[in-house]
Amino acid sequence: MMAKLVVTLVGVAAITWVNWYFLIAGRRSRNS
Amino acid sequence: MTSVVTIPVTGMTCAACSSRVERALQESPGVESANVNLMTSEATVSFSPAATSAETLVAAIRSTGYGAELPVAEHSEHHRHETDDLRLKLALSLVVAVLVMLLPMVVAPSGALRYLLLGLTLPVIGWAGRSFFTRAWQAFRHHSADMNTLIAVGTGTAFGYSAAVTLAAGWFTRHGIPPQVYFEAVVWIIALILLGNHLEARAKGKASEAIRRLIGLRPEEVRVMRDGREVTVPLQTVQVRDEIVVRPGERIPVDGVVLSGRSSVDESMLTGEPVPVEKGPGAAVTGGTLNELGVFHFEATRIGERTVLARIIRLVREAQGTKPPIQKLADRISAVFVPVVISLAIATFVIWFDIGPEPAYLHAMVAGVTVLIIACPCAMGLAVPTAVMVATGRGAGIGVLIKGGDVIELASNADLVLLDKTGTVTEGRPRVEAVHGLKDSTGMLQLAASVEHGSEHPLAQAIVMASQAAGLQLEPVRDFRASPGRGASGLVAGRRVLVGNRQLLLDQGVPLEPVPGETVQRGTVVFVAIDGRVAGWLVIGDPVKPTSSTAVRDLKSMGLEVVMITGDNQATAASVAAEVGIERVFAEVLPEHKRDAVLRFQREGHIVAMVGDGINDAPALAQADVGIAMRGGSDVAIEAGAITLMQNDLTGVPRALLLTRRTLRVIRQNLFWAFIYNLVGIPIAAGVLYPSFGLRLSPAMAAAAMAISSISVITNSLRLRHA
């Protein structure tokens, strides 16, 4: 159960990071 | 001052790659514009030489992880080297892929087998597939992601896990996890993607055949008269004004004018027109065309990059790199596509891990990797450029020069064709058919021709020719003034002579004389006024081209509205229109007002294709959504229109429009299939069919599906070669 919770949380964090890194930070670095 | 350089770029495999290189160049200081063509693997950069250099631009491209060399003549050599390298990598991967697939079938699973598979996979991932990883890393550092990212993350995950299982099998077994490896998936994915790249490289080669064919039209050696003797010299050493000898069956090396001799010349390679053209002294010849039976000498007038052939090659090359607006949609989508796919892959992993069957993490990893692999947006990146490239190449082959992808999209949407009459519907080589002097016809013709001698207007030339045919001497003219669309005036032997239409006479306050109706029907009436009084008129006819009515019929059958526009009088315009089957005519329109006519149709909501000869209707051609210039006698037209017809008749117009319509249809089909493929493929890879049907894809199957989708897009585009 614990493993599932950890994987889910890590997964959500990873998705957030991927979208931030490529879309938001990417756009910012391209505009700068 | 601006310099333009074309830099060959290696390693680009998708639209995201080319847009990244393009962006890097655009951000580089001193660059005014940069356009990267995925299909020709070339970057065309305009830059200010004071602020940057070609070397800096090459460095900027390299910083994005792609290869770039300074432009050298041996670009094709360079390209071949890349293809050979790719073929070797593909061969190795395929051999290893078969071995890695067969070995576990004949050898019982053991630690030794796993080590053997690892050993076989290493060169594939470390050498053949290495470029995917380096490019993915470069992209990552620039906060961007492309298909290399998907491949690298997918194969990297599968390989990393399998290598861990091989090296620490004991640990996995102790924890109740079967020591399952996925080397075959890694190798198959790399092999299939390399196969896709290889096929794409071949398609690029085929599409640039059109350009190679044009370049091949230049002979390497030329016979030139030097000091009265005929010598053979390399083409590069030919100078303007050189006298060149052409023997039967030889290609004409450069553009020029025939000095002596006669022959027929096959110009089909440039015009698509199969009937050879007779050439005698004074006739213009074009480099690249084929001499048939006669021998002739000609004087070179244009050499090197200034020849018609060189300009065509340049235009086709530039056109193949331009992007139609529909491409922007594909670019926008692929920019957000990869992060979305990575997110989906992570979500897939989490869901399989949380609610999937045991061993959950194994299924989760396989499903996640499969999502990454199936989503490679190669097909999407290929959808538009392959079609544009093949269509422009095909166009050049049938005498239709299309200046770019944007032109294809606009032309295919055109719903109204505006035809300029003179030189387009008609021959454009007007002839004086009647001279009607109120007192002295010959004297009037002589004065009119003397004035018109200085004008290049086709009607003026007809008058001059008529006077020459009558053996009249021309008088010197002073104070020559041309009024565009009206006529010309000048002082000849102390008399003020006006030659022009009714409007010119009205402007100058000359009282008009009535002209019989049947005269007006026969052609354009040109009035001649001497010292403020009408002396008579000339009737100038311009025969309709034999192919014009067929072309008009074809255009109408394509659902296009056909309108004719001319500076000529109502009666002449109406009779020409009736002859070719056009109902709507605008007559007596001055050249500067032709543009307004185009504008008016555009305001009515029409997408206008304007067809003209590119000389006096250049503003209208530019205003039209699609300017179609007919080369006719002049070479000005090559640059004047968005589409240039090398053949001097109207049938090229339906042919050109049909080609653009077919091309846009192929582009739409390509995009549709590329999207559908992802829309259907990703959920299946994620396992949506598993709960109800137990159906899942393996990563290797996903790689095969991806390769198939790329191949289907390329094949679809190549159909245009026969359009």
Side-chain angles (χ1 to χ4, degrees):
Chain A
M1 201 58 216
M2 190 61 185
K4 285 182 180 176
L5 188 68
V6 170
V7 165
T8 309
L9 287 176
V10 170
V12 170
I15 290 173
T16 314
W17 182 82
V18 163
N19 285 283
W20 170 81
Y21 185 83
F22 288 113
L23 298 179
I24 298 168
R27 190 167 306 150
R28 210 177 295 152
S29 84
R30 277 191 284 280
N31 291 341
S32 65
Chain B
M1 208 182 77
T2 305
S3 294
V4 178
V5 66
T6 304
I7 306 171
V9 183
T10 52
M12 294 191 298
T13 47
C14 60
C17 309
S18 55
S19 59
R20 199 160 72 243
V21 174
E22 201 168 276
R23 208 160 52 221
L25 286 169
Q26 278 160 356
E27 286 167 3
S28 177
V31 170
E32 283 160 22
S33 70
N35 190 348
V36 178
N37 182 349
L38 175 64
M39 296 308 298
T40 55
S41 306
E42 282 174 341
T44 308
V45 194
S46 321
F47 65 99
S48 144
T52 186
S53 66
E55 288 81 8
T56 320
L57 299 174
V58 167
I61 297 174
R62 288 195 182 143
S63 76
T64 59
Y66 298 94
E69 299 282 341
L70 262 190
V72 280
E74 293 78 35
H75 179 205
S76 57
E77 182 71 22
H78 180 80
H79 181 77
R80 209 178 59 222
H81 178 74
E82 199 192 349
T83 324
D84 287 348
D85 189 45
L86 189 61
R87 195 177 301 146
L88 205 64
K89 286 176 172 170
L90 172 65
L92 172 89
S93 317
L94 282 174
V95 170
V96 173
V98 172
L99 281 176
V100 169
M101 191 174 66
L102 292 181
L103 273 174
M105 295 181 189
V106 292
V107 182
S110 66
L113 174 68
R114 287 192 291 271
Y115 273 103
L116 180 61
L117 295 176
L118 173 64
L120 284 168
T121 309
L122 268 174
V124 174
I125 200 162
W127 177 66
R130 189 190 147 92
S131 56
F132 300 123
F133 290 87
T134 51
R135 283 180 218 140
W137 173 243
Q138 296 286 356
F140 180 80
R141 279 179 36 205
H142 289 85
H143 290 273
S144 64
D146 54 22
M147 67 168 267
N148 295 303
T149 314
L150 298 178
I151 299 164
V153 175
T155 55
T157 312
F159 179 79
Y161 176 79
S162 305
V165 168
T166 308
L167 297 173
W171 185 89
F172 282 87
T173 325
R174 270 200 303 284
H175 287 79
I177 303 162
Q180 172 93 31
V181 290
Y182 292 93
F183 292 121
E184 91 287 353
V186 174
V187 179
W188 274 108
I189 290 163
I190 292 173
L192 288 169
I193 290 166
L194 288 175
L195 177 69
N197 290 352
H198 175 70
L199 289 172
E200 190 189 322
R202 281 189 42 188
K204 283 182 192 176
K206 277 194 185 129
S208 41
E209 251 171 39
I211 291 180
R212 261 209 303 278
R213 197 181 56 86
L214 288 170
I215 293 173
L217 293 178
R218 292 175 182 151
E220 291 182 353
E221 293 191 320
V222 184
R223 293 173 211 277
V224 184
M225 296 300 285
R226 295 265 158 90
D227 304 323
R229 282 191 312 124
E230 192 182 307
V231 287
T232 306
V233 299
L235 175 65
Q236 293 78 9
T237 62
V238 172
Q239 302 289 320
V240 171
R241 305 189 69 85
D242 269 352
E243 183 179 340
I244 296 169
V245 187
V246 185
R247 294 184 178 279
E250 288 182 349
R251 287 202 181 276
I252 295 166
V254 293
D255 298 354
V257 177
V258 176
L259 295 170
S260 61
R262 269 183 189 281
S263 185
S264 54
V265 174
D266 176 0
E267 298 189 329
S268 61
M269 50 295 295
L270 293 183
T271 61
E273 167 66 64
V275 184
V277 185
E278 290 297 320
K279 301 281 182 186
V285 287
T286 314
T289 55
L290 186 68
N291 179 29
E292 296 209 318
L293 294 172
V295 180
F296 63 88
H297 288 222
F298 77 96
E299 185 184 77
T301 53
R302 271 188 307 233
I303 55 164
E305 289 304 301
R306 302 194 53 209
T307 60
V308 171
L309 182 63
R311 277 145 71 198
I312 293 174
I313 293 170
R314 194 167 60 238
L315 281 170
V316 173
R317 228 182 224 151
E318 283 166 8
Q320 291 190 328
T322 57
K323 294 172 184 171
I326 200 166
Q327 166 86 62
K328 295 202 181 101
L329 174 74
D331 284 352
R332 262 209 310 275
I333 291 171
S334 58
V336 293
F337 185 76
V338 176
V340 168
V341 168
I342 296 177
S343 307
L344 283 174
I346 298 171
T348 304
F349 182 92
V350 170
I351 294 169
W352 275 90
F353 189 87
D354 287 354
I355 57 173
E358 289 299 327
Y361 81 95
L362 210 68
H363 289 306
M365 189 197 68
V366 171
V369 168
T370 312
V371 168
L372 291 172
I373 298 305
I374 206 159
C376 281
C378 312
M380 225 181 294
L382 294 173
V384 184
T386 48
V388 168
M389 182 125 193
V390 177
T392 44
R394 168 70 186 149
I398 55 170
V400 174
L401 292 185
I402 302 172
K403 307 280 174 65
D406 45 346
V407 175
I408 292 178
E409 192 166 343
L410 276 169
S412 66
N413 290 324
D415 61 349
L416 186 138
V417 180
L418 197 57
L419 301 174
D420 182 42
K421 181 183 77 79
T422 312
T424 307
V425 180
T426 63
E427 293 285 358
R429 275 189 299 272
R431 265 199 322 261
V432 172
E433 293 189 341
V435 182
H436 182 92
L438 293 177
K439 287 183 190 136
D440 169 19
S441 293
T442 316
M444 181 191 77
L445 178 62
Q446 187 192 23
L447 288 174
S450 300
V451 170
E452 296 288 29
H453 189 56
S455 166
E456 289 189 348
H457 193 280
L459 293 184
Q461 287 173 356
I463 296 171
V464 174
M465 273 169 61
S467 79
Q468 283 168 346
L472 301 174
Q473 280 291 326
L474 298 185
E475 301 278 338
V477 59
R478 286 191 299 118
D479 192 26
F480 173 82
R481 270 180 243 158
S483 325
R486 294 180 174 86
S489 64
L491 274 174
V492 183
R495 306 170 81 179
R496 162 118 344 244
V497 182
L498 299 177
V499 186
N501 59 14
R502 182 184 295 268
Q503 193 62 46
L504 180 75
L505 268 57
L506 287 174
D507 288 351
Q508 303 283 330
V510 177
L512 289 169
E513 290 284 334
V515 177
E518 66 271 22
T519 306
V520 179
Q521 285 287 336
R522 288 173 58 193
T524 307
V525 177
V526 176
F527 290 95
V528 182
I530 300 168
D531 293 331
R533 298 181 63 166
V534 172
W537 52 80
L538 305 158
V539 182
I540 300 180
D542 181 11
V544 170
K545 288 179 193 166
T547 48
S548 292
S549 48
T550 323
V552 170
R553 202 178 55 229
D554 289 349
L555 287 170
K556 283 181 169 171
S557 72
M558 286 168 68
L560 292 154
E561 187 177 350
V562 184
V563 180
M564 193 177 83
I565 189 164
T566 174
D568 251 346
N569 65 57
Q570 289 286 359
T572 316
S575 92
V576 170
E579 194 175 334
V580 296
I582 297 175
E583 287 87 27
R584 230 172 138 187
V585 181
F586 289 83
E588 294 173 38
V589 182
L590 296 174
E592 61 265 35
H593 292 157
K594 285 182 184 168
R595 185 176 163 270
D596 299 338
V598 173
L599 253 173
R600 201 165 61 226
F601 284 120
Q602 285 172 329
R603 288 212 189 95
E604 286 171 17
H606 289 291
I607 296 177
V608 181
M610 163 91 200
V611 188
D613 58 11
I615 301 166
N616 60 21
D617 43 20
L621 286 178
Q623 175 62 42
D625 298 286
V626 191
I628 303 179
M630 226 182 257
R631 186 176 161 221
S634 83
D635 298 328
V636 189
I638 298 179
E639 273 91 16
I643 295 178
T644 301
L645 304 177
M646 298 304 291
Q647 199 173 335
N648 193 22
D649 78 56
L650 265 188
T651 50
V653 178
R655 217 179 314 148
L657 293 179
L658 209 60
L659 178 64
T660 61
R661 283 186 181 187
R662 289 202 176 121
T663 309
L664 199 73
R665 196 158 61 221
V666 164
I667 289 176
R668 291 219 174 99
Q669 285 163 353
N670 284 352
L671 284 175
F672 174 80
W673 286 112
F675 279 114
I676 285 290
Y677 159 81
N678 278 302
L679 221 60
V680 174
I682 292 175
I684 296 179
V688 289
L689 295 182
Y690 184 73
S692 11
F693 302 100
L695 186 73
R696 285 186 306 159
L697 287 182
S698 72
M701 277 159 69
M706 197 211 69
I708 289 168
S709 85
S710 295
I711 293 164
S712 63
V713 161
I714 294 169
T715 318
N716 196 31
S717 294
L718 284 177
R719 286 193 308 136
L720 286 168
R721 281 199 298 172
H722 309 289

